[in-house]
Amino acid sequence: MMLLTEVYGLPVTGPDGRTRLGTVASLSVDAGAGTVRQVRVRRGPFRKEAAVSWDAVRSVGPDGVRLRADAAADAPRRPRDLLGSLVLTEAGRERGRVLDAAVAPETGRVLAVFTTRGELPPARLLGLGDHALVVRSG
Amino acid sequence: MDELMTARSLTTRPVVTLGGDAIAHVRDTLFDAEARWITGFTLTGRRLLSGPLPHALPWPSVHALGHDAVMLRDALGLIPEDALTGHRGSLRARVLGARMLTEAGEAIGTVADVVVEGGTSGRIVGFRIAADQRLVPGRSGHRRRVYVARGPSLTVAGRTLVLPEETVRHLADDLAGLTALTRGVRGPGGGGGTDTGPGAPP
């Protein structure tokens, strides 16, 4: 299990673990599917961002995110950062903000979302958009 | 019963899809001709200087009317505004400021706002009125704002709303009081419950 806040800022390297490609800027989460879809990598002197599919990640550890040999840039999704998102129930009532999320590094599955109003299981996630993380009323 | 809210308070409330995207803000709330149900919302853009949108949100596309947002399934539920409003315009505009009378013709006051039920019903449950001095005695020149339940027998006649005497006998000072009234709870000296169920939505 890893926390999103632990992954942000980690170095991203090639399959040899030595070729540094950039740092993790954020992770794009598909809330409806309950998985991490992309790693957004910040690189270069102008801090440009590129997206890499989570399937292209070979391993994640405290030392960094190591990509597979066949990793290629992915078409970037709209950057929707789970961290800090407003939480809104499907009934239209605000329920705090997202503080962190636990993710299984092997699969990218979201295991739990931690908010200012408590923990949310992944089964309650409906969608993450530009306004809020929408969750099932519980 | 879900939370009660005034139609005025819905203006500027974000319209959010279940995917989490805010697509608009509420500009106005539309009601049916009998002031029983919300029929939909007209919309404005999300930015500060955005004008009215050409599309409206019909009530069947609403997932829930919430305290902090109007939820809809997806943006495909929007329709051209003309298809919703027709030539009638907003009934809220006609109801606000309308006279309210009892069936006996006694003036109750004028409508200051419409109270709707949140959640999935879209039901109009009452009105906030600037009460006539005879109905609610107060300081001279001061018209007290009170809430009255819609009841099952309201009649809309042009710019006049007519309520049964029985309904007008029970007033509330705030939305919490109106909630109690519509649930059939009476204060000291109160009578029986007020039937607020106008029937199934269209």
Side-chain angles (χ1 to χ4, degrees), chain B residues 76-160:
Chain B
L76 298 175
L78 301 184
I79 62 173
E81 185 180 316
D82 289 349
L84 189 63
T85 59
H87 60 275
R88 291 185 295 113
S90 159
L91 181 67
R92 186 170 84 91
R94 284 200 290 132
V95 169
L96 294 183
R99 284 191 314 154
M100 192 169 264
L101 304 177
T102 66
E103 285 174 341
E106 282 189 40
I108 302 169
T110 55
V111 177
D113 211 339
V114 180
V115 181
V116 300
E117 183 181 33
T120 57
S121 76
R123 197 167 56 136
I124 295 170
V125 296
F127 302 92
R128 184 169 182 250
I129 59 172
D132 195 87
Q133 283 281 346
R134 279 183 303 160
L135 183 71
V136 184
R139 284 185 281 123
S140 176
H142 176 75
R143 301 182 75 192
R144 234 183 88 194
R145 303 286 172 128
V146 294
Y147 293 83
V148 59
R150 182 197 182 282
S153 311
L154 176 129
T155 308
V156 180
R159 288 267 293 163
T160 303

Side-chain angles (χ1 to χ4, degrees), chain A residues 78 80 86 88-95 126-135, chain B residues 3 14 16-23 46 63-71 119:
Chain A
R78 274 189 290 171
R80 286 167 179 166
L86 178 73
L88 195 60
T89 70
E90 61 179 323
R93 184 170 275 272
E94 292 179 4
R95 281 285 179 265
L126 279 173
L128 174 63
D130 60 7
H131 184 72
L133 170 69
V134 179
V135 300
Chain B
E3 177 186 358
V16 181
T17 66
L18 292 182
D21 290 317
I23 59 168
R46 295 177 55 203
H63 182 76
L65 172 57
H67 181 269
D68 301 300
V70 179
M71 306 299 293

Side-chain angles (χ1 to χ4, degrees), chain A residues 38-126:
Chain A
Q38 287 184 332
V39 182
R40 298 183 67 82
V41 183
R42 185 175 294 139
R43 59 184 182 168
F46 299 107
R47 302 171 70 80
K48 281 182 69 173
E49 285 189 11
V52 178
S53 167
W54 184 260
D55 296 335
V57 173
R58 180 174 154 187
S59 65
V60 182
D63 297 334
V65 176
R66 193 183 292 194
L67 301 183
R68 295 182 188 280
D70 58 353
D74 204 9
R77 291 161 174 261
R78 274 189 290 171
R80 286 167 179 166
D81 203 343
L82 184 60
L83 299 188
S85 288
L86 178 73
V87 180
L88 195 60
T89 70
E90 61 179 323
R93 184 170 275 272
E94 292 179 4
R95 281 285 179 265
R97 286 192 176 269
V98 175
L99 297 173
D100 210 338
V103 174
E106 306 81 21
T107 60
R109 300 282 311 171
V110 176
L111 303 173
V113 176
F114 306 108
T115 78
T116 53
R117 303 280 293 269
E119 184 178 329
L120 292 170
R124 284 187 59 190
L125 309 184
L126 279 173

